Amino acid sequence: MKTYKGYLIDLDGTMYKGSEEIAEATRFVSRLREKQMDYLFVTNNSTKRPEEVAAKLQSFGVPAEAKHVITTSMATAHFIKERDKGRSVYFIGQEGLKVALEKEGLSYEETHPDYVVVGLDQEVTYEKLAKACLAVRNGATFISTNSDRALVTERGFLPGNGAITSVVEISTGQAPIFIGKPEAIIVEQAMERLGLPKEDVVMVGDNYDTDILAGIRAGIDTLLVHTGVTKKEHLLNVQQAPTWVVDTLDEVPV
Amino acid sequence: MKTYKGYLIDLDGTMYKGSEEIAEATRFVSRLREKQMDYLFVTNNSTKRPEEVAAKLQSFGVPAEAKHVITTSMATAHFIKERDKGRSVYFIGQEGLKVALEKEGLSYEETHPDYVVVGLDQEVTYEKLAKACLAVRNGATFISTNSDRALVTERGFLPGNGAITSVVEISTGQAPIFIGKPEAIIVEQAMERLGLPKEDVVMVGDNYDTDILAGIRAGIDTLLVHTGVTKKEHLLNVQQAPTWVVDTLDEVPV
């Protein structure tokens, strides 16, 4: 198996399972650290700040700091700033999105925003969605942090951000720009941060439909690990196989 | 133009425009009343009780009582009762739906309901949607009162029930049974209440995509009136034209 200089790594199902450590993943990142390889954790979780994401990884012994994390909220805020077509945003979302937008110098505006951003918000209400619909119909560019259909919780599968986003999409007839995996946007931003050529970077994840597709769309190699969502039999029907497939990250040379 | 014995009549855009009377419509129903023809108002509004719907019509001088009204909430409750496959319901919705379900003797159940019903709820929250998703994944039959994408208000177009319903549909991957127009279900129930053969009944409305399609799907004649949504040019591209098209209901003989 080829070794790389930069590793983009998914979180849930790859680095841990909910609140459980995946020991092979902790060892894998520790080995990357020893060899001074670059790595970034790339997550569709829009609700957490990068410090919180890093703290959870640290609790499992993974060498991770905030600078190793890119969330869909950060990617969304960066996307808006780079686009340079207005800086006012009406958003539905939690702390992670609020902080990310502020860090990029974007301002909050309810009635005539340049952008409407929908991120996961477990306090979402009809009124919040109504404001989003009005602003999109009023010409705001419609962005969604990610299209995940379900949120895995101890209670079961709750509505994911893709499901919440659909309210605005169905009501206005406007499709959003999605930023998170399986879109290439978040991966391209992660690559920009690493500053490495495409052939030196690999996307590592457990979910073919998000992690691996995002890597494929961004034109980089991909590594699927069978510690999470995608089972071996799912790979029989995919259009393009991952570059590499392993049972655990212990099998991956660095 | 043929005359009928029974008339199924839409409300907004046909009988009134928001808070404005349509005088021709008031005269039309008064003529039906004089000739002792049967009529029923058929509405996708799930939030109001039939008494409230009748009161609004009365305020414009339309001869209407609660017995002349069938709402999607009433049709939904009746559908569940007739189906006879369980009587417990978890619902998202307002007063009109709550009362309609109670009137059919259906009970409220949050965790293991036989049915999940989604109707328009301007107080909808993530938690209400989460409960609906969990129950549908748990095997409850998923019903939506209607698929309207937008709610016309003085503020603009707010999310309609079809948009709210999409959260549960997208998140669970389960398509709901829709009861309201353009589905035939609500029209078939209205016909049952009139007790007339199909050839004696006509569906009257201003919206091709809801009223007229519902009539066509129920196999009855249809009458489009140009006082609301559907303009003449929209009819050029439809698969099946309405049986009759008029500018105002003054043109319709009874």
Side-chain angles (χ1 to χ4, degrees), chain A residues 126-203:
Chain A
Y126 186 86
E127 181 56 25
K128 290 184 185 179
L129 293 163
K131 286 196 179 108
C133 287
L134 291 170
V136 168
R137 285 185 184 268
N138 210 21
T141 301
F142 178 25
I143 297 185
S144 173
T145 57
N146 62 299
S147 58
D148 294 39
R149 291 169 172 215
L151 186 67
V152 184
T153 75
E154 284 167 12
R155 292 171 68 194
F157 295 105
L158 306 190
N161 191 53
I164 301 300
T165 300
S166 73
V167 174
V168 183
E169 179 169 3
I170 298 279
S171 188
T172 64
Q174 281 279 325
I177 300 169
F178 286 109
I179 302 294
K181 301 173 284 184
E183 302 307 320
I185 296 174
I186 191 171
V187 174
E188 285 161 357
Q189 283 193 29
M191 304 255 306
E192 208 179 295
R193 255 168 71 176
L194 289 183
L196 292 169
K198 285 193 174 186
E199 59 272 23
D200 290 334
V201 182
V202 64
M203 175 75 216

Side-chain angles (χ1 to χ4, degrees), chain A residues 126-127 149 155 159 166 171, chain B residues 124 126-127 149 155 159 166 171:
Chain A
Y126 186 86
E127 181 56 25
R149 291 169 172 215
R155 292 171 68 194
S166 73
S171 188
Chain B
V124 73
Y126 186 85
E127 181 57 24
R149 290 169 173 215
R155 292 171 69 193
S166 72
S171 189

Side-chain angles (χ1 to χ4, degrees), chain B residues 205-221:
Chain B
D206 69 296
N207 189 329
Y208 182 86
D209 294 327
T210 54
D211 305 317
I212 303 306
L213 271 187
I216 289 170
R217 288 175 183 171
I220 61 174
D221 281 0

Side-chain angles (χ1 to χ4, degrees), chain B:
Chain B
M1 192 183 298
K2 177 179 166 183
T3 59
Y4 297 83
K5 291 181 182 155
Y7 294 78
L8 304 179
I9 310 171
D10 170 56
L11 292 178
D12 211 348
T14 302
M15 291 305 301
Y16 49 75
K17 286 183 130 171
S19 56
E20 263 177 71
E21 186 190 348
I22 298 178
E24 298 91 332
T26 302
R27 287 197 289 268
F28 172 65
V29 180
S30 298
R31 289 189 287 128
L32 291 178
R33 177 73 147 207
E34 281 164 28
K35 292 275 179 87
Q36 296 184 309
M37 294 294 122
D38 278 331
Y39 56 91
L40 266 181
F41 299 102
V42 180
T43 175
N44 273 4
N45 184 328
S46 67
T47 64
K48 299 262 192 297
R49 288 178 289 110
E51 293 78 11
E52 294 173 87
V53 173
K56 177 165 182 178
L57 287 165
Q58 287 161 17
S59 76
F60 296 131
V62 178
E65 294 161 56
K67 69 175 184 188
H68 293 117
V69 176
I70 179 165
T71 70
T72 45
S73 287
M74 296 161 73
T76 298
H78 190 70
F79 177 84
I80 291 172
K81 192 188 170 193
E82 292 285 294
R83 215 160 169 259
D84 202 20
K85 290 187 178 172
R87 303 186 141 262
S88 67
V89 179
Y90 170 70
F91 72 91
I92 294 174
Q94 296 182 198
E95 184 70 8
L97 181 56
K98 182 171 178 284
V99 170
L101 293 168
E102 283 167 2
K103 276 202 178 159
E104 295 285 6
L106 305 171
S107 63
Y108 183 73
E109 161 65 38
E110 289 198 348
T111 46
H112 289 88
D114 300 310
Y115 293 88
V116 165
V117 174
V118 178
L120 185 68
D121 182 352
Q122 292 191 266
E123 308 271 295
V124 73
T125 60
Y126 186 85
E127 181 57 24
K128 288 183 185 181
L129 293 163
K131 285 196 179 108
C133 287
L134 290 172
V136 168
R137 285 184 185 268
N138 209 22
T141 300
F142 178 25
I143 297 184
S144 173
T145 57
N146 62 299
S147 59
D148 294 40
R149 290 169 173 215
L151 185 69
V152 184
T153 75
E154 284 168 10
R155 292 171 69 193
F157 295 105
L158 305 191
N161 192 52
I164 301 300
T165 300
S166 72
V167 174
V168 183
E169 181 169 1
I170 298 279
S171 189
T172 65
Q174 281 278 326
I177 301 168
F178 286 110
I179 302 294
K181 302 174 282 184
E183 302 307 319
I185 296 175
I186 192 170
V187 175
E188 285 161 358
Q189 283 192 31
M191 305 257 305
E192 207 180 296
R193 255 168 72 175
L194 290 182
L196 292 168
K198 286 191 172 187
E199 59 271 23
D200 290 333
V201 182
V202 63
M203 175 75 217
V204 181
D206 69 296
N207 189 329
Y208 182 86
D209 294 327
T210 54
D211 305 317
I212 303 306
L213 271 187
I216 289 170
R217 288 175 183 171
I220 61 174
D221 281 0
T222 56
L223 191 162
L224 180 82
V225 58
H226 283 312
T227 47
V229 169
T230 301
K231 307 296 171 204
K232 286 189 170 61
E233 56 270 27
H234 292 157
L235 294 178
L236 299 174
N237 300 314
V238 300
Q239 270 208 329
Q240 184 176 342
T243 316
W244 316 102
V245 180
V246 296
D247 286 326
T248 80
L249 292 175
D250 272 346
E251 300 168 36
V252 182
V254 301

Side-chain angles (χ1 to χ4, degrees), chain A residues 221-236:
Chain A
D221 281 359
T222 56
L223 191 162
L224 179 81
V225 57
H226 284 312
T227 47
V229 168
T230 302
K231 307 295 170 204
K232 289 190 168 62
E233 57 269 28
H234 292 156
L235 295 177
L236 299 174

